[in-house]
Amino acid sequence: MTKPKTAKKTPARRVTTVEAEKGETEPDTMARVVVAPFMRHGFLGQAVATKAFGELPGEPNFDDFAKAIKTRAKAAAEGDLTLATEMLVAQALSLDAMFVELARRSAMNFGDYPLAAERYARLSFKAQSNSRAALEALAKLHQPREQTVRHVHVNEGGQAVIADNIHHHGGGRENAKSNGQPHATGAAGTSPTLPSQDADGQGVPIPGSEGQPAMQDARGQGQRRT
């Protein structure tokens, strides 16, 4: 005699708990959490991970994914470029792998199936272009940028002094700092002066002269036609 089968017990899902801010009602708290990107991407992260890897050790819930995403986002906001660097490198490598595979399939179809070969070639070129774009974004993220600021000072006599200051800014969090940035009120450099048309005269026209002659009445002063 066979024993009756018993239903397999499924582990109870943990319910996420969200702390309410001061003065918030429960609907306000849940609306704030749902609008924020962390919880929504936590749902997405859990769905993708479960689909790709199956049951994960410890059975992380969607709010665990949300907390992990929020932690990385906080580090990025403070200037840590580790996450952006890792993502761009991973994307560039994955896209390059796609390019190689699609290009291989295009080459295999060259003789007998030219239409399929063309479609595979187009897809491979797209993957190659996106891989290059990811590498360019990575290089731009870490490459120091150069900023040229031009100061123009007009001295007495109409002579202008132009000073070019070149400032180098490092990549990452250094670009966001405002310390040491140039200001237009700084001292002029040693660049040569630009002579005016008349060194002893006024370099800039001074308004104030005889007014323009009055315009003639367009309607005229002649006799009116009858």
Side-chain angles (χ1 to χ4, degrees), residues 9-63:
K9 295 182 178 180
T10 56
R13 293 179 59 89
R14 292 184 287 110
V15 179
T16 179
T17 57
V18 181
E19 295 183 0
E21 295 182 354
K22 186 177 180 180
E24 273 189 339
T25 61
E26 184 177 359
D28 294 335
T29 304
M30 296 308 301
R32 172 175 57 83
V33 172
V34 173
V35 168
F38 310 114
M39 192 64 67
R40 289 183 282 115
H41 284 270
F43 276 111
L44 178 61
Q46 184 195 29
V48 172
T50 303
K51 189 71 175 179
F53 307 107
E55 185 176 346
L56 296 175
E59 299 180 0
N61 201 8
F62 65 89
D63 57 335

Side-chain angles (χ1 to χ4, degrees), residues 59-74:
E59 299 180 0
N61 201 8
F62 65 89
D63 57 335
D64 298 318
F65 287 89
K67 292 176 182 177
I69 295 173
K70 187 175 182 179
T71 301
R72 302 301 293 270
K74 183 179 179 181

Side-chain angles (χ1 to χ4, degrees), residues 46-128:
Q46 184 195 29
V48 172
T50 303
K51 189 71 175 179
F53 307 107
E55 185 176 346
L56 296 175
E59 299 180 0
N61 201 8
F62 65 89
D63 57 335
D64 298 318
F65 287 89
K67 292 176 182 177
I69 295 173
K70 187 175 182 179
T71 301
R72 302 301 293 270
K74 183 179 179 181
E78 295 175 352
D80 187 0
L81 301 178
T82 304
L83 176 62
T85 301
E86 293 174 351
M87 290 180 61
L88 289 173
V89 171
Q91 290 173 10
L93 293 175
S94 298
L95 288 165
D96 182 68
M98 293 176 63
F99 161 74
V100 173
E101 174 61 19
L102 292 168
R104 183 188 66 84
R105 295 194 179 193
S106 176
M108 292 177 61
N109 288 275
F110 265 156
D112 300 327
Y113 306 99
L115 184 59
E118 180 184 1
R119 291 180 177 176
Y120 278 124
R122 290 179 181 273
L123 292 174
S124 68
F125 293 152
K126 289 183 179 180
Q128 182 189 48

Side-chain angles (χ1 to χ4, degrees), residues 81-82 84-90 92 132-143:
L81 301 178
T82 304
T85 301
E86 293 174 351
M87 290 180 61
L88 289 173
V89 171
R132 182 174 61 251
L135 292 176
E136 290 174 352
L138 179 64
K140 186 177 180 180
L141 186 67
H142 291 276
Q143 183 180 10

